[in-house]
Coordinates of all heavy atoms in Angstrom, one line a residue:
M1366 N 28.8 7.7 62.2 CA 28.6 6.4 62.8 C 29.9 5.8 63.2 O 30.9 5.9 62.4 CB 27.9 5.4 61.8 CG 27.8 4.0 62.3 SD 26.2 3.3 62.5 CE 25.1 4.3 61.7
L1367 N 30.0 5.4 64.5 CA 31.3 4.8 65.0 C 31.7 3.5 64.2 O 30.8 2.7 63.9 CB 31.2 4.5 66.4 CG 31.0 5.6 67.4 CD1 30.8 5.1 68.8 CD2 32.3 6.5 67.4
E1368 N 33.0 3.4 63.9 CA 33.5 2.2 63.3 C 33.4 1.0 64.2 O 33.2 -0.1 63.7 CB 35.0 2.4 62.9 CG 35.2 2.9 61.6 CD 36.7 2.8 61.3 OE1 37.2 1.8 60.8 OE2 37.4 3.8 61.6
Q1369 N 33.6 1.2 65.4 CA 33.7 0.1 66.4 C 34.7 -0.9 66.0 O 34.5 -2.1 65.6 CB 32.3 -0.6 66.6 CG 31.4 0.3 67.4 CD 30.2 -0.5 67.9 OE1 29.5 -1.1 67.1 NE2 29.9 -0.4 69.1
R1370 N 36.0 -0.5 66.0 CA 37.1 -1.3 65.6 C 37.2 -2.6 66.5 O 36.9 -2.5 67.7 CB 38.4 -0.5 65.6 CG 38.3 0.6 64.6 CD 39.6 1.4 64.6 NE 39.4 2.6 63.7 CZ 40.2 3.6 63.8 NH1 41.2 3.7 64.7 NH2 40.0 4.6 63.0
P1371 N 37.7 -3.7 66.0 CA 37.7 -4.9 66.7 C 38.9 -5.2 67.7 O 38.9 -6.3 68.3 CB 37.7 -6.0 65.6 CG 38.5 -5.3 64.5 CD 38.2 -3.8 64.6
N1372 N 39.8 -4.3 67.8 CA 41.0 -4.6 68.7 C 41.6 -3.4 69.3 O 41.4 -2.3 68.8 CB 42.0 -5.4 67.9 CG 42.6 -4.5 66.8 OD1 41.9 -3.9 66.0 ND2 44.0 -4.4 66.8
C1373 N 42.4 -3.6 70.3 CA 43.2 -2.6 70.9 C 44.4 -2.3 70.0 O 45.1 -3.2 69.6 CB 43.7 -3.0 72.3 SG 44.8 -1.9 73.1
E1374 N 44.6 -1.0 69.7 CA 45.8 -0.7 68.9 C 47.1 -0.9 69.6 O 48.1 -1.0 68.9 CB 45.7 0.8 68.5 CG 44.6 1.1 67.5 CD 44.6 2.6 67.1 OE1 45.7 3.2 67.0 OE2 43.5 3.1 66.8
C1375 N 47.1 -1.0 70.9 CA 48.3 -1.1 71.7 C 48.7 -2.6 71.8 O 49.8 -3.0 71.4 CB 48.1 -0.5 73.0 SG 49.5 -0.2 74.0
C1376 N 47.8 -3.4 72.3 CA 48.2 -4.8 72.7 C 47.5 -5.9 71.8 O 47.7 -7.1 71.9 CB 47.9 -5.1 74.1 SG 46.1 -5.2 74.5
D1377 N 46.6 -5.4 70.9 CA 45.9 -6.3 69.9 C 44.8 -7.1 70.6 O 44.3 -8.1 70.0 CB 46.8 -7.1 69.1 CG 46.2 -7.5 67.7 OD1 45.3 -6.8 67.2 OD2 46.6 -8.6 67.2
K1378 N 44.4 -6.8 71.8 CA 43.4 -7.6 72.5 C 42.1 -7.4 71.7 O 41.8 -6.3 71.2 CB 43.2 -7.0 73.9 CG 42.0 -7.6 74.6 CD 41.9 -7.0 76.0 CE 40.8 -7.7 76.8 NZ 40.7 -7.1 78.2
D1379 N 41.3 -8.5 71.5 CA 40.0 -8.4 70.8 C 39.0 -7.6 71.7 O 39.0 -7.8 72.9 CB 39.5 -9.8 70.6 CG 40.2 -10.6 69.6 OD1 40.9 -10.0 68.7 OD2 40.2 -11.9 69.6
L1380 N 38.3 -6.8 71.0 CA 37.3 -5.9 71.6 C 36.0 -6.1 70.9 O 35.8 -5.5 69.8 CB 37.7 -4.5 71.7 CG 38.9 -4.2 72.5 CD1 39.5 -2.8 72.2 CD2 38.6 -4.4 74.0
A1381 N 35.1 -6.9 71.4 CA 33.8 -7.2 70.7 C 33.0 -5.9 70.7 O 33.2 -5.0 71.5 CB 33.0 -8.2 71.5
P1382 N 32.1 -5.8 69.7 CA 31.2 -4.5 69.7 C 30.5 -4.2 71.0 O 30.3 -3.1 71.3 CB 30.2 -4.8 68.6 CG 30.9 -5.9 67.7 CD 31.7 -6.7 68.7
E1383 N 30.1 -5.3 71.7 CA 29.4 -5.0 73.0 C 30.3 -4.9 74.2 O 29.9 -4.7 75.3 CB 28.4 -6.2 73.3 CG 29.1 -7.5 73.5 CD 29.5 -8.3 72.3 OE1 29.3 -7.8 71.1 OE2 30.0 -9.4 72.5
S1384 N 31.7 -4.8 74.0 CA 32.6 -4.7 75.1 C 32.5 -3.4 75.7 O 32.4 -2.3 75.1 CB 34.0 -4.9 74.5 OG 35.0 -4.6 75.6
R1385 N 32.5 -3.4 77.1 CA 32.5 -2.2 77.9 C 33.9 -1.8 78.3 O 34.1 -0.9 79.0 CB 31.6 -2.3 79.1 CG 30.1 -2.5 78.6 CD 29.2 -2.2 79.8 NE 27.8 -2.4 79.3 CZ 27.1 -1.4 78.8 NH1 27.6 -0.2 78.6 NH2 25.8 -1.6 78.4
E1386 N 34.9 -2.5 77.7 CA 36.3 -2.3 78.0 C 37.0 -1.5 76.9 O 38.2 -1.3 76.9 CB 37.0 -3.6 78.3 CG 36.6 -4.3 79.5 CD 37.4 -5.5 79.9 OE1 38.6 -5.5 79.5 OE2 36.9 -6.3 80.6
A1387 N 36.2 -1.2 75.8 CA 36.8 -0.5 74.7 C 36.8 1.0 75.0 O 35.8 1.6 75.4 CB 36.0 -0.8 73.4
M1388 N 38.0 1.6 74.7 CA 38.1 3.1 75.0 C 38.5 3.7 73.6 O 39.3 3.2 72.8 CB 39.2 3.3 76.0 CG 39.1 2.6 77.3 SD 37.7 3.1 78.3 CE 38.3 4.7 78.9
I1389 N 37.9 4.9 73.4 CA 38.2 5.6 72.1 C 38.5 7.1 72.3 O 38.1 7.6 73.4 CB 37.0 5.5 71.1 CG1 35.7 6.1 71.7 CG2 36.8 4.0 70.7 CD1 34.6 6.2 70.7
C1390 N 39.1 7.7 71.3 CA 39.3 9.2 71.3 C 38.3 9.7 70.3 O 37.5 8.9 69.7 CB 40.7 9.5 70.9 SG 41.1 9.2 69.2
T1391 N 38.3 11.0 70.0 CA 37.4 11.6 69.0 C 37.6 11.1 67.6 O 36.8 11.3 66.8 CB 37.4 13.1 69.1 OG1 38.7 13.6 68.8 CG2 36.9 13.6 70.4
F1392 N 38.8 10.6 67.3 CA 39.1 10.0 66.0 C 38.9 8.5 65.9 O 39.2 7.9 64.9 CB 40.6 10.4 65.6 CG 40.8 11.8 65.4 CD1 41.4 12.6 66.4 CD2 40.4 12.5 64.3 CE1 41.6 14.0 66.3 CE2 40.6 13.8 64.1 CZ 41.2 14.6 65.1
E1393 N 38.3 8.0 67.0 CA 38.0 6.5 67.0 C 39.2 5.6 67.2 O 39.1 4.4 66.9 CB 37.1 6.1 65.9 CG 35.7 6.7 65.9 CD 34.8 6.2 64.8 OE1 34.6 5.0 64.8 OE2 34.3 7.0 64.0
C1394 N 40.3 6.2 67.5 CA 41.5 5.3 67.9 C 41.0 4.4 69.0 O 40.3 5.0 69.9 CB 42.7 6.1 68.3 SG 43.2 7.3 67.0
T1395 N 41.3 3.2 69.0 CA 40.6 2.2 70.0 C 41.7 1.5 70.8 O 42.6 0.9 70.2 CB 39.8 1.2 69.2 OG1 38.8 2.0 68.4 CG2 39.0 0.3 70.1
F1396 N 41.4 1.4 72.1 CA 42.3 0.8 73.0 C 41.5 0.1 74.1 O 40.4 0.4 74.4 CB 43.2 1.8 73.7 CG 44.0 2.6 72.7 CD1 43.5 3.9 72.3 CD2 45.2 2.2 72.2 CE1 44.3 4.6 71.3 CE2 45.9 2.9 71.3 CZ 45.5 4.1 70.8
C1397 N 42.1 -1.0 74.7 CA 41.4 -1.7 75.8 C 41.6 -0.8 77.0 O 42.4 0.1 77.1 CB 42.0 -3.1 76.0 SG 43.7 -3.1 76.6
A1398 N 40.7 -1.1 78.0 CA 40.7 -0.3 79.2 C 42.0 -0.4 80.0 O 42.5 0.6 80.5 CB 39.6 -0.7 80.1
D1399 N 42.7 -1.6 79.9 CA 44.0 -1.7 80.6 C 45.0 -0.9 80.0 O 45.7 -0.1 80.7 CB 44.4 -3.2 80.6 CG 43.5 -4.1 81.5 OD1 42.9 -3.5 82.5 OD2 43.5 -5.3 81.3
C1400 N 45.2 -0.9 78.7 CA 46.2 -0.1 78.0 C 45.9 1.4 78.2 O 46.8 2.2 78.4 CB 46.3 -0.4 76.6 SG 47.1 -2.0 76.3
A1401 N 44.6 1.8 78.1 CA 44.2 3.2 78.2 C 44.6 3.7 79.5 O 45.1 4.8 79.7 CB 42.7 3.3 78.0
A1402 N 44.4 2.9 80.6 CA 44.7 3.4 82.0 C 46.1 3.2 82.3 O 46.8 4.2 82.8 CB 43.8 2.7 83.0
D1403 N 46.7 2.0 82.1 CA 48.0 1.7 82.6 C 49.2 2.2 81.8 O 50.2 2.7 82.3 CB 48.2 0.2 82.8 CG 47.2 -0.3 83.8 OD1 46.6 0.4 84.7 OD2 46.9 -1.5 83.8
V1404 N 49.0 2.1 80.5 CA 50.1 2.5 79.5 C 49.9 4.0 79.1 O 50.9 4.7 79.1 CB 50.1 1.6 78.3 CG1 51.2 2.0 77.3 CG2 50.3 0.1 78.7
L1405 N 48.7 4.3 78.7 CA 48.5 5.6 78.1 C 48.0 6.7 79.0 O 47.9 7.9 78.6 CB 47.5 5.4 76.9 CG 47.9 4.4 75.9 CD1 46.8 4.2 74.9 CD2 49.2 4.9 75.2
K1406 N 47.6 6.3 80.2 CA 47.2 7.3 81.3 C 46.0 8.1 80.8 O 46.0 9.3 81.1 CB 48.4 8.2 81.7 CG 49.6 7.4 82.2 CD 49.3 6.5 83.3 CE 50.6 5.9 83.8 NZ 50.4 4.6 84.4
G1407 N 45.1 7.5 80.0 CA 43.9 8.2 79.5 C 44.0 9.1 78.4 O 43.1 9.9 78.0
T1408 N 45.2 9.1 77.7 CA 45.5 10.0 76.6 C 45.8 9.2 75.3 O 46.7 8.4 75.4 CB 46.6 11.0 76.9 OG1 46.3 11.7 78.1 CG2 46.9 12.0 75.8
C1409 N 45.2 9.6 74.2 CA 45.5 8.9 73.0 C 46.9 9.2 72.5 O 47.3 10.4 72.4 CB 44.5 9.4 71.9 SG 44.7 8.6 70.3
P1410 N 47.7 8.1 72.1 CA 49.0 8.4 71.7 C 49.1 8.9 70.3 O 50.1 9.4 69.8 CB 49.7 7.0 71.7 CG 48.5 6.1 71.5 CD 47.3 6.7 72.2
N1411 N 48.0 8.9 69.5 CA 48.0 9.4 68.2 C 47.6 10.9 68.1 O 48.2 11.6 67.3 CB 47.0 8.6 67.3 CG 47.3 7.1 67.3 OD1 48.4 6.7 67.2 ND2 46.2 6.3 67.5
C1412 N 46.7 11.3 68.9 CA 46.2 12.7 68.8 C 46.3 13.5 70.1 O 46.0 14.7 70.1 CB 44.8 12.8 68.3 SG 43.5 12.2 69.5
A1413 N 46.7 12.9 71.2 CA 46.8 13.4 72.5 C 45.4 13.8 73.1 O 45.3 14.5 74.1 CB 47.7 14.7 72.5
G1414 N 44.3 13.2 72.5 CA 43.0 13.5 73.0 C 42.6 12.5 74.1 O 43.3 11.5 74.4
E1415 N 41.5 12.8 74.8 CA 41.1 12.0 75.9 C 40.5 10.7 75.5 O 39.8 10.6 74.4 CB 40.0 12.8 76.6 CG 39.3 12.1 77.8 CD 38.2 12.9 78.4 OE1 37.7 13.8 77.8 OE2 37.8 12.6 79.5
L1416 N 40.8 9.7 76.2 CA 40.2 8.3 75.9 C 39.0 8.1 76.8 O 39.1 8.3 78.0 CB 41.2 7.2 76.1 CG 42.4 7.3 75.2 CD1 43.5 6.2 75.6 CD2 41.9 7.0 73.7
V1417 N 37.9 7.8 76.2 CA 36.6 7.6 77.0 C 36.0 6.2 76.5 O 36.4 5.7 75.5 CB 35.6 8.7 76.7 CG1 36.1 10.1 77.2 CG2 35.2 8.8 75.3
R1418 N 35.1 5.7 77.4 CA 34.5 4.4 77.1 C 33.7 4.5 75.8 O 32.9 5.5 75.6 CB 33.6 3.9 78.2 CG 33.1 2.5 78.0 CD 32.3 2.0 79.1 NE 31.0 2.6 79.2 CZ 29.9 2.3 78.5 NH1 30.0 1.4 77.5 NH2 28.8 2.9 78.7
R1419 N 33.9 3.5 74.9 CA 33.2 3.5 73.6 C 31.7 3.1 73.9 O 31.4 2.2 74.6 CB 33.8 2.5 72.7 CG 33.1 2.3 71.3 CD 33.8 1.4 70.4 NE 33.7 0.0 70.9 CZ 34.3 -1.0 70.4 NH1 35.3 -0.9 69.5 NH2 34.1 -2.2 70.9
P1420 N 30.8 3.8 73.3 CA 29.4 3.5 73.5 C 29.1 2.1 72.9 O 29.7 1.7 71.9 CB 28.6 4.5 72.7 CG 29.5 5.6 72.5 CD 30.9 5.0 72.5
V1421 N 28.1 1.4 73.4 CA 27.7 0.1 73.0 C 26.5 0.2 72.1 O 25.5 0.9 72.4 CB 27.4 -0.9 74.2 CG1 26.9 -2.2 73.7 CG2 28.7 -1.1 75.0
R1422 N 26.6 -0.3 70.9 CA 25.5 -0.3 69.9 C 24.5 -1.4 70.2 O 24.9 -2.5 70.5 CB 26.1 -0.5 68.5 CG 25.1 -0.2 67.4 CD 25.8 -0.2 66.0 NE 26.8 0.9 66.0 CZ 27.8 0.9 65.1 NH1 28.0 0.0 64.3 NH2 28.7 1.9 65.2
T1423 N 23.2 -1.2 70.2 CA 22.2 -2.2 70.4 C 22.3 -3.3 69.4 O 22.8 -3.1 68.3 CB 20.8 -1.7 70.4 OG1 20.5 -1.2 69.1 CG2 20.6 -0.5 71.4
A1424 N 21.8 -4.5 69.8 CA 21.9 -5.6 68.8 C 21.2 -5.4 67.5 O 21.7 -5.7 66.5 CB 21.3 -6.9 69.5
A1425 N 20.0 -4.7 67.6 CA 19.3 -4.4 66.4 C 20.0 -3.4 65.5 O 20.1 -3.6 64.3 CB 17.9 -3.8 66.8
A1426 N 20.6 -2.4 66.1 CA 21.4 -1.4 65.4 C 22.7 -2.1 64.8 O 23.1 -1.8 63.7 CB 21.8 -0.2 66.2
L1427 N 23.3 -3.0 65.6 CA 24.5 -3.7 65.1 C 24.2 -4.6 63.9 O 25.0 -4.7 63.0 CB 25.1 -4.5 66.3 CG 26.5 -5.0 66.1 CD1 27.5 -3.9 65.8 CD2 26.9 -5.8 67.3
A1428 N 23.0 -5.2 63.9 CA 22.6 -6.0 62.7 C 22.4 -5.1 61.5 O 22.8 -5.6 60.4 CB 21.2 -6.7 63.0
R1429 N 22.0 -3.9 61.6 CA 21.8 -3.0 60.5 C 23.1 -2.3 60.1 O 23.4 -2.0 58.9 CB 20.8 -1.9 60.8 CG 19.3 -2.4 60.8 CD 18.3 -1.3 60.9 NE 18.6 -0.3 61.9 CZ 18.2 -0.3 63.2 NH1 17.6 -1.4 63.6 NH2 18.5 0.6 64.0
H1430 N 24.0 -2.0 61.1 CA 25.2 -1.3 60.9 C 26.3 -2.1 61.6 O 26.7 -1.7 62.8 CB 25.1 0.1 61.5 CG 24.0 0.9 60.9 ND1 24.0 1.4 59.7 CD2 22.7 1.2 61.4 CE1 22.8 2.0 59.4 NE2 22.1 1.9 60.5
P1431 N 26.9 -3.1 61.0 CA 27.9 -4.0 61.7 C 29.2 -3.2 62.1 O 29.5 -2.2 61.4 CB 28.2 -5.0 60.6 CG 27.2 -4.9 59.6 CD 26.6 -3.5 59.7
A1432 N 29.8 -3.7 63.1 CA 31.1 -3.2 63.5 C 32.2 -3.4 62.4 O 32.0 -4.3 61.6 CB 31.5 -3.8 64.8
S1433 N 33.2 -2.7 62.5 CA 34.3 -2.8 61.6 C 35.1 -4.2 61.8 O 35.1 -4.6 63.0 CB 35.3 -1.7 61.7 OG 36.5 -1.9 60.9
T1434 N 35.7 -4.7 60.8 CA 36.5 -5.9 61.0 C 38.0 -5.5 60.7 O 38.9 -6.3 60.8 CB 36.1 -7.0 60.0 OG1 36.2 -6.5 58.6 CG2 34.7 -7.5 60.3
K1435 N 38.2 -4.2 60.4 CA 39.6 -3.8 60.1 C 40.4 -3.6 61.4 O 40.0 -2.8 62.3 CB 39.5 -2.4 59.4 CG 40.9 -1.8 59.1 CD 40.8 -0.5 58.5 CE 42.1 0.2 58.4 NZ 42.0 1.6 58.1
R1436 N 41.5 -4.4 61.5 CA 42.3 -4.3 62.7 C 43.4 -3.2 62.5 O 44.0 -3.2 61.5 CB 42.9 -5.7 63.0 CG 41.9 -6.7 63.3 CD 42.5 -8.1 63.6 NE 43.0 -8.2 65.0 CZ 42.2 -8.5 66.1 NH1 40.9 -8.7 65.9 NH2 42.8 -8.6 67.2
V1437 N 43.6 -2.4 63.6 CA 44.6 -1.4 63.5 C 45.6 -1.7 64.7 O 45.2 -2.0 65.8 CB 44.0 0.0 63.7 CG1 45.1 1.1 63.8 CG2 43.1 0.3 62.6
L1438 N 46.9 -1.7 64.4 CA 47.9 -2.0 65.5 C 49.1 -1.1 65.3 O 49.6 -0.9 64.1 CB 48.3 -3.4 65.4 CG 49.2 -4.0 66.5 CD1 48.6 -3.9 67.8 CD2 49.7 -5.4 66.2
K1439 N 49.5 -0.4 66.3 CA 50.6 0.5 66.2 C 51.9 -0.3 66.1 O 52.4 -0.9 67.1 CB 50.7 1.4 67.5 CG 49.5 2.4 67.5 CD 49.5 3.3 68.7 CE 50.6 4.3 68.6 NZ 50.7 5.1 67.5
A1440 N 52.5 -0.3 65.0 CA 53.7 -1.1 64.7 C 54.9 -0.6 65.6 O 55.7 -1.4 66.0 CB 54.1 -1.1 63.2
E1441 N 54.9 0.6 65.9 CA 56.1 1.2 66.6 C 55.9 1.1 68.1 O 56.7 1.6 68.9 CB 56.3 2.7 66.2 CG 55.2 3.6 66.7 CD 54.0 3.7 65.8 OE1 53.9 2.9 64.8 OE2 53.1 4.5 66.1
G1442 N 54.8 0.4 68.5 CA 54.6 0.3 70.0 C 53.6 1.3 70.4 O 53.1 2.2 69.7
C1443 N 53.3 1.3 71.7 CA 52.3 2.1 72.3 C 52.8 2.9 73.5 O 53.2 2.3 74.5 CB 51.1 1.2 72.7 SG 49.6 2.0 72.8
A1444 N 52.9 4.2 73.4 CA 53.3 5.0 74.5 C 52.6 6.3 74.4 O 52.2 6.7 73.3 CB 54.8 5.2 74.4
P1445 N 52.4 7.0 75.5 CA 51.7 8.3 75.4 C 52.5 9.3 74.5 O 53.7 9.3 74.4 CB 51.8 8.8 76.9 CG 52.1 7.6 77.7 CD 52.9 6.7 76.8
K1446 N 51.7 10.1 73.8 CA 52.2 11.2 72.9 C 52.9 12.2 73.8 O 52.4 12.7 74.8 CB 51.1 11.8 72.1 CG 51.6 12.7 71.0 CD 50.4 13.2 70.2 CE 50.9 14.2 69.1 NZ 51.3 13.5 67.9
A1447 N 54.1 12.6 73.4 CA 54.8 13.7 74.1 C 54.1 15.0 74.1 O 53.6 15.3 73.0 CB 56.2 13.8 73.6
A1448 N 54.1 15.7 75.1 CA 53.4 17.0 75.2 C 54.1 18.1 74.4 O 55.2 18.0 74.1 CB 53.2 17.4 76.6

């Protein structure tokens, strides 16, 4: 089950569970669409994986399985992982 983290790891922008601007990699690292496109160029800085739009959980499923409240922020800043 996806964690659905509440913020962008890069800029700390709030990302609600229903947000269509949340982007994730296969490890659920979470970024806003602006940072994913403009700063990271579609690549996760943690694992070098592809960033894709995070699926939106239905309201009923969200009531049974709430989104995470744990905020993750890259203290060292946000830049693409070197190849």
